[in-house]
Every structure is written in C-alpha cells, then in structure tokens.
Amino acid sequence: MVRLVAAQSSCRQHAPSSDGWPGQMSAPRTAYVHIPFCHRRCFYCDFAVVPLGDKAGGGGGPGSASIDSYLEQLHAEIALSPKGPPLATVYIGGGTPSLLTPEQIHALLNRLCRQFGVQAGAEITLEMDPASFDQHDLQALIAAGINRVSLGGQSFDDGVLETLGRRHRSDALMQCCRWLAQACHEGELRSWSLDLIRNLPNQTLEGWCEQLEQALAVAAPHLSIYDLQVEPGTVFAWRQQRGELPLPDDDLAADLMASTSQRLRRAGFCRYEISNYARPGHASRHNRVYWSGAGWWGFGLGATSAPWGERLARPRTREAYGLWLTDQHQAVHPSLHRQSAAALPLDDRLLVGLRRHEGVHLLDQARACGWDERSCNRYLPALERRWTKALQQRLLLQEGGRWRLSDPEGMALSNQVLVELMCWWESLPADVVRSPSP
C-alpha cells in the first residue's frame, strides 16, 4: 500500500487538470482492466476468458508465459491511450485476475498511474477467486495497492458449486471470507464484496434463504447477486437444449428476488442497483460510474470503453486482440480522443439510470442530452403515457419529475418498463434521435 501511495504522489504532479477537458461529458476518472486468464471455464460463463488449467499461475508456473505475453500487450495498450485526469476508481476484472502475482498487479497499477495518475483515496478493486489465493497472497496484494476485493463465491453449497463447474468448495470460500473480513476490520481493506448467483438449477426458496444467511454470517459489507443467464455456447446452454437444466419458473424467481430484498433490507443493506446491495459506506464507486452515464476507460481483451460517450469493444480472442493492438499503434481509435466527446443518447441514459435505486429525472436527463424545451414538451409526455400501466401496477414510482423502479416488484419486472422505453425511443423521428431540436 505504501508503495502505491508514493507512486500516486509522483503521478499526480504530472496529471492533467480536468478543467481543460471540453465536451458535454466530463473527463473519465474510471478504468476497467481485463485479465482473461482463469483455471477453467465455468459452465455458465461466456466471458472473454482464456483457461490455463488448474495449476496455472503468474509466477513461473504453467501458463505463466501466456500471462507475461498478454501483460506486455496490456501495458502497451494503456501507454497508447490519450492522457487524462487522475483516476478515482480502478477495477481489475476477468477471468481470474488473482492468478497474477502481486508484483504483476503492482506493475499494472503503476502503468495506469504513469499514464493518468491515481487520486489519493481512489477505490482499487481486484476480482479474486477463492481457489486462487491464500492469506499471504492477500496481504501482498494489499501491499501492492489493492484496497477493495470482489470475491467470486457464487454459492456456499458444494453441490451447487460442482453443478456450476467451479473449482473451489464451501470450506475454501468460508476461509477466504474470514481473511477478507479480518483485513477490512483491521483497516487494511476499505471494503469487500461477495458474488452470489440466484435462479440456479433445482434451486428452492428455502435453499436460497440459507445462502443469504451464510452470506450475512460472513459479514460481507457488499453483495452482488446475479440471476443466472443461460448464454449460447456454454455448457448450461447445451444442457438446456437436452432438457437437463431445470430452472426456477417465473413465480419462484419472483419469490427469490423478493426474499432477497426483504432479508437484506432487514440486515441493513441498501439495494442501490438492481444486482447490488451494500451496507452504508460500502457501495462500489466503480459500479456507480457505469450506471450514472459517465465515461470510463477500458483496457484488455474483450473490454469495452466509453471515455467520451461512444462505446468501443475490443476483440475477444488473443489473436484478434493482438492484431487490433497493432492497428492502434498506427492510429488510436477516434472514440478514445476527447474530440469525439458527446453526451450519451437519452435512451442509454435512461436504460442505465433506471437500474439505480434513485432512478432518473426525465427532464434533467433530456436537457443533459441537449434537448430544448420544445422537444421535451413534445416527446417526453409520450413516454410517460407508455409508463402509465407500470405506474398503476406499482412497478414504477414517480416522485416529482423522478421515476424509479419499485423494490422488489419493479426491479423483478424491469423488462416491462424497459421495453416501453425502447418502443418509445424507436417511435421518435430519426432527426429527433440524432438531434433533439426540431
């Protein structure tokens, strides 16, 4: 930790001021870095990952040459990026980033620091897999600059973990939770989060409630709870095609979500976004950037960036990513330059904003996109009319000019609200979508 703070101080002296960044979007202060390597591909996973085997690691063991080669590419991509103001959040995800050594993580953070600077007090998160580290590794990663951990637990049930194709088991998960809780209690970590997956094959309400109780027992201050999505090309998709994946029906899925919200609310958690719950002071600053409509940097295979409003997805294979990076050496993609700065389209702002507990203020969002009063008065009432049924069903709540999904009903059935939003957007004249002024 001390080493990174020292690096922050030197980097911040040379970091450009945000005052000099024009455009409708503020300069990005967030970076996502993708580490694609993992031990094995889980049965539900369609992420851009590179499985290296159960014995892989970044310290000279199996797969280390692949990791070293990729890190060279990653450092090069970061170095090609236009300069920007100091970063307020960094998120290293994957894959299994904790396969890297603490020295490799430290070097990566220093590369970001040299390119952008890192604010004092920045939130620096590392995704970790319970099967990839011990307490000594955790302490070394904290010393390298990590101050928040996202732990991919997924379940405390060994049978479920086996069904998911996970490498770890519940005893390892419990031990990792104890290490993280201790580090947080002693002030070495600012926070940590636990991932759980819901709506799994053969899941029951009673079984899910037991999972929640165990999550509360390990004192995780932040929980990310994701509903299973069966993605094409995964083992689960193959099993589903064969009729071998008995998933909860819609009624049970709604009960699972309702029980989650009710139990965590009683335990003092706030549902600040559809999939994220936190105790006071532990909401992920990085997560909130995505849902606020602000810009972010993205680096690495399969990563998406949107520093100035336009999204850019990098290739999802090593070979294609290497070729793309070669092209970047010739000319950096226009979306990464501040000259391309433009406000996010209104539909994007509303789609991501409705995921948040506080929802969206329609008029404020439209004005932020450049809509004048005439456009607002002409087109926004049509969206409000489309949302009338959801309002009557209490899926949506209206408080002044602000609209938000109710919890848990509205968040469970958010697609009904979002479909109406998209139908409204597609009904607008093309010139209005491009430029709101008629």
Side-chain angles (χ1 to χ4, degrees):
M1 185 181 302
V2 174
R3 286 179 289 164
L4 185 63
V5 169
Q8 287 175 351
S9 299
S10 61
C11 288
R12 290 177 66 217
Q13 294 174 9
H14 305 288
S17 167
S18 60
D19 296 337
W21 295 79
Q24 293 171 286
M25 290 187 67
S26 60
R29 295 178 176 273
T30 288
Y32 172 79
V33 181
H34 189 69
I35 306 297
F37 304 104
C38 59
H39 290 115
R40 59 175 75 164
R41 183 182 288 274
C42 300
F43 297 157
Y44 54 88
C45 175
D46 76 332
F47 295 162
V49 299
V50 180
L52 295 177
D54 286 355
K55 296 182 179 181
S64 60
S66 292
I67 293 175
D68 291 341
S69 173
Y70 175 76
L71 289 177
E72 288 182 13
Q73 293 178 313
L74 192 54
H75 281 253
E77 184 190 350
I78 295 170
L80 287 170
S81 297
K83 297 285 186 177
L87 300 173
T89 77
V90 175
Y91 192 103
I92 305 175
T96 304
S98 48
L99 281 179
L100 272 58
T101 66
E103 291 76 18
Q104 289 170 329
I105 295 293
H106 179 63
L108 193 54
L109 293 175
N110 276 344
R111 175 69 268 178
L112 290 169
C113 192
R114 290 195 301 273
Q115 191 69 17
F116 302 104
V118 176
Q119 288 183 357
E123 177 188 274
I124 303 176
T125 303
L126 180 71
E127 287 186 354
M128 300 184 72
D129 177 86
S132 67
F133 73 99
D134 58 25
Q135 192 170 21
H136 178 267
D137 295 327
L138 176 61
Q139 292 298 319
L141 288 164
I142 292 171
I146 299 302
N147 58 33
R148 184 178 182 274
V149 167
S150 178
L151 183 65
Q154 317 314 348
S155 177
F156 290 94
D157 185 303
D158 283 348
V160 171
L161 291 169
E162 184 174 359
T163 298
L164 294 173
R166 299 291 296 187
R167 184 166 173 253
H168 72 274
R169 292 296 179 261
S170 60
D171 56 347
L173 173 57
M174 295 292 290
Q175 181 63 268
C176 291
C177 289
R178 286 191 287 269
W179 292 335
L180 292 169
Q182 179 182 345
C184 197
H185 177 73
E186 294 177 357
E188 296 171 328
L189 285 176
R190 293 181 185 170
S191 190
W192 65 284
S193 176
L194 174 65
D195 288 0
L196 295 175
I197 301 179
R198 186 175 55 198
N199 285 335
L200 293 170
N202 296 309
Q203 192 160 57
T204 65
L205 181 58
E206 180 182 5
W208 175 246
C209 289
E210 291 176 0
Q211 294 294 303
L212 288 178
E213 293 305 322
Q214 291 190 72
L216 293 173
V218 299
H222 184 287
L223 295 172
S224 292
I225 298 176
Y226 303 105
D227 288 320
L228 176 68
Q229 301 292 322
V230 180
E231 302 292 350
T234 62
V235 172
F236 272 7
W238 178 79
R239 288 180 178 173
Q240 188 175 55
Q241 291 170 359
R242 292 169 57 90
E244 299 173 356
L245 198 73
L247 299 176
D249 59 25
D250 290 344
D251 289 339
L252 177 54
D255 289 343
L256 293 170
M257 181 176 283
S259 67
T260 303
S261 289
Q262 293 163 5
R263 181 64 185 97
L264 295 183
R265 188 183 300 117
R266 291 200 306 272
F269 284 77
C270 171
R271 188 180 192 179
Y272 70 96
E273 189 270 335
I274 285 182
S275 300
N276 290 286
Y277 302 76
R279 294 190 184 277
H282 290 275
S284 168
R285 289 157 52 190
H286 188 89
N287 285 352
R288 293 188 68 85
V289 169
Y290 292 141
W291 312 127
S292 70
W296 72 92
W297 300 106
F299 303 105
L301 184 151
T304 298
S305 62
W308 303 109
E310 179 185 348
R311 286 184 173 85
L312 172 64
R314 285 139 187 82
R316 290 170 56 91
T317 67
R318 286 291 305 275
E319 181 180 3
Y321 174 65
L323 293 173
W324 176 85
L325 192 57
T326 298
D327 291 340
Q328 295 304 295
H329 281 281
Q330 304 301 318
V332 173
H333 194 276
S335 69
L336 303 179
H337 289 288
R338 59 174 177 162
Q339 287 82 359
S340 69
L344 282 175
L346 181 57
D347 63 329
D348 274 6
R349 285 176 173 264
L350 299 181
L351 283 169
V352 298
L354 282 169
R355 293 184 62 94
R356 299 183 298 169
H357 171 76
E358 59 267 36
V360 294
H361 193 290
L362 283 185
L363 189 57
D364 287 352
Q365 292 292 342
R367 287 169 173 165
C369 290
W371 287 44
D372 60 18
E373 292 302 313
R374 183 180 177 186
S375 298
C376 292
N377 292 335
R378 184 174 180 180
Y379 297 112
L380 291 183
L383 175 58
E384 294 181 348
R385 287 193 295 272
R386 282 184 172 273
W387 279 347
T388 298
K389 183 176 180 181
L391 198 62
Q392 294 170 343
Q393 295 175 331
R394 301 287 292 173
L395 303 180
L396 266 177
L397 304 176
Q398 184 181 16
E399 299 161 348
R402 184 169 291 278
W403 296 71
R404 64 183 181 89
L405 295 169
S406 61
D407 180 16
E409 295 85 359
M411 290 189 173
L413 300 174
S414 60
N415 282 346
Q416 295 184 23
V417 175
L418 301 182
V419 165
E420 294 297 335
L421 167 61
M422 294 309 300
C423 289
W424 167 77
W425 183 254
E426 292 172 0
S427 73
L428 297 178
D431 59 331
V432 174
V433 172
R434 288 194 304 270
S435 177
S437 299

